[in-house]
Amino acid sequence: MTPQEIVAQNAFRSGYVVSDYFEIALPVYRVVLQASTLIKKKISALEEFVMRSVNAGLNTPTEAAAFLGLEEVVVRSILGHLVQDTSVALVGVASDSSQVLKLTSKGMKTLETAEAITPEERSIQLYFDALLRKAVWFRERLLKFREIKDEGLIEIASIPPRQPDIRDFPPSEVGRILRQFGGATLERREILSIQRVERCTRFFRPAIAIVYKSLGGDDLRVELAVDGRITNEYAVAFARAGGRKLLGLDGPTAPAAQEIQAYSSREHPQGPNIEPAQAVEIELIKTRTELQEATQLVQTAREKERRELQQKLNELQSK
């Protein structure tokens, strides 16, 4: 959708009318994290057969190879890997000094699930929303600094003005994001800890800052339409950061604490609760592609109502 269509779609707020809008760029960092992880991998069929043979009492490579019909060198190679992985161990026999193979508790669990759990250091790419101050996942295309200047977008600075560090990436939250968005390769990983932020590159996410003016006064409110949708989360973060000052807006404004409270307690419904006559007006505005036309239609209707009320008041006062 065009910026004008996005504004027209979100033009109706009870007690307010759209007075202006700004095309802005929200700061986003693409980060590469170095993490300690546990990964669940399916064990191979040969590993499973060898482990089952050992669990059945075939305690030497020779016995397991003969039972499976494999060359002993192949079985020894698989057992060597399983011993290194601590799934199989050599244990002594009480009656003599010989040793036999036996599954460890880890090996028993691996055999039950047919999965091996392996520790691994891994580089993970994520994003960090510098306005919301949290780790996120984006599939959309982000803009570079040169691109936002070419497109005339207003840059919104990071708040606070610092790059993210490991404190901004709780392992549980990183794990949740990977399970939800990371695909089959990453969703089976458990994140133990974040070791460091290896790389951090700044990008920008395009958005629309819509300015609403109250019908009964000069109170201004600013809401952000990100990816075409307005959310309370961005409205609260933008208000807390002094968003109107960032846009250079003039005129009276409500105290920041009151504005934040107003945003935090307000729900944005799927569609406004309107009368039939208003519904006709909305449909008419949605057919316009230019914001100015939409805004003028609304303002004209409001001015007409005000003139009619003022005329009635004058008539009553003259009696």
Side-chain angles (χ1 to χ4, degrees), residues 217-241:
D218 294 323
D219 180 34
L220 298 179
R221 295 201 183 281
V222 180
E223 299 198 32
L224 302 190
V226 182
D227 198 22
R229 297 184 299 107
I230 286 179
T231 63
N232 280 350
E233 189 176 28
Y234 272 109
V236 171
F238 198 68
R240 184 175 288 121

Side-chain angles (χ1 to χ4, degrees), residues 95-124:
S95 58
D96 54 45
S97 59
S98 63
Q99 291 183 315
V100 295
L101 296 167
K102 186 176 180 180
L103 291 184
T104 63
S105 58
K106 177 183 176 181
M108 293 294 293
K109 186 174 182 179
T110 299
L111 191 58
E112 289 175 5
T113 61
E115 289 182 334
I117 300 176
T118 307
E120 183 178 272
E121 296 291 319
R122 176 68 185 256
S123 292
I124 298 171

Side-chain angles (χ1 to χ4, degrees), residues 32-35 37 121-125 186 196 198-199:
V32 177
L33 307 174
Q34 187 67 21
T37 71
E121 296 291 319
R122 176 68 185 256
S123 292
I124 298 171
Q125 179 175 293
L186 296 175
R196 61 186 177 276
E198 289 190 335
R199 287 198 303 278

Side-chain angles (χ1 to χ4, degrees), residues 43-61:
I43 60 175
S44 69
L46 284 178
E47 286 178 321
E48 183 178 354
F49 291 151
V50 170
M51 291 176 73
R52 291 193 182 280
S53 298
V54 172
N55 196 42
L58 304 173
N59 302 126
T60 67

Side-chain angles (χ1 to χ4, degrees), residues 31-191:
V31 298
V32 177
L33 307 174
Q34 187 67 21
S36 296
T37 71
L38 290 178
I39 182 171
K40 296 180 180 179
K41 297 180 179 178
K42 291 289 185 182
I43 60 175
S44 69
L46 284 178
E47 286 178 321
E48 183 178 354
F49 291 151
V50 170
M51 291 176 73
R52 291 193 182 280
S53 298
V54 172
N55 196 42
L58 304 173
N59 302 126
T60 67
T62 303
E63 291 175 333
F67 176 75
L68 295 172
L70 298 172
E71 294 183 10
E72 188 171 332
V73 65
V74 174
V75 174
R76 285 185 178 276
S77 175
I78 296 171
L79 285 170
H81 171 72
L82 293 173
V83 169
Q84 186 178 12
D85 189 47
T86 68
S87 293
V88 173
L90 282 169
V91 297
V93 179
S95 58
D96 54 45
S97 59
S98 63
Q99 291 183 315
V100 295
L101 296 167
K102 186 176 180 180
L103 291 184
T104 63
S105 58
K106 177 183 176 181
M108 293 294 293
K109 186 174 182 179
T110 299
L111 191 58
E112 289 175 5
T113 61
E115 289 182 334
I117 300 176
T118 307
E120 183 178 272
E121 296 291 319
R122 176 68 185 256
S123 292
I124 298 171
Q125 179 175 293
L126 278 182
Y127 294 89
F128 182 79
D129 190 309
L131 190 62
L132 300 182
R133 305 305 299 177
K134 69 176 184 178
V136 290
W137 185 277
F138 290 128
R139 297 189 186 277
E140 65 194 78
R141 177 179 174 271
L142 300 173
L143 302 178
K144 298 179 180 178
F145 181 76
R146 183 185 66 254
E147 292 176 304
I148 71 167
K149 293 303 179 184
D150 291 343
E151 296 185 18
L153 305 183
I154 299 174
E155 177 189 357
I156 303 301
S158 302
I159 303 169
R162 68 169 177 83
Q163 293 185 348
D165 55 39
I166 59 173
R167 295 170 297 175
D168 297 308
F169 299 95
S172 58
E173 181 64 12
V174 173
R176 183 194 66 79
I177 293 173
L178 294 181
R179 286 192 298 273
Q180 186 173 357
F181 302 106
T185 304
L186 296 175
E187 68 182 6
R188 300 175 68 81
R189 290 182 182 273
E190 179 182 348
I191 309 299

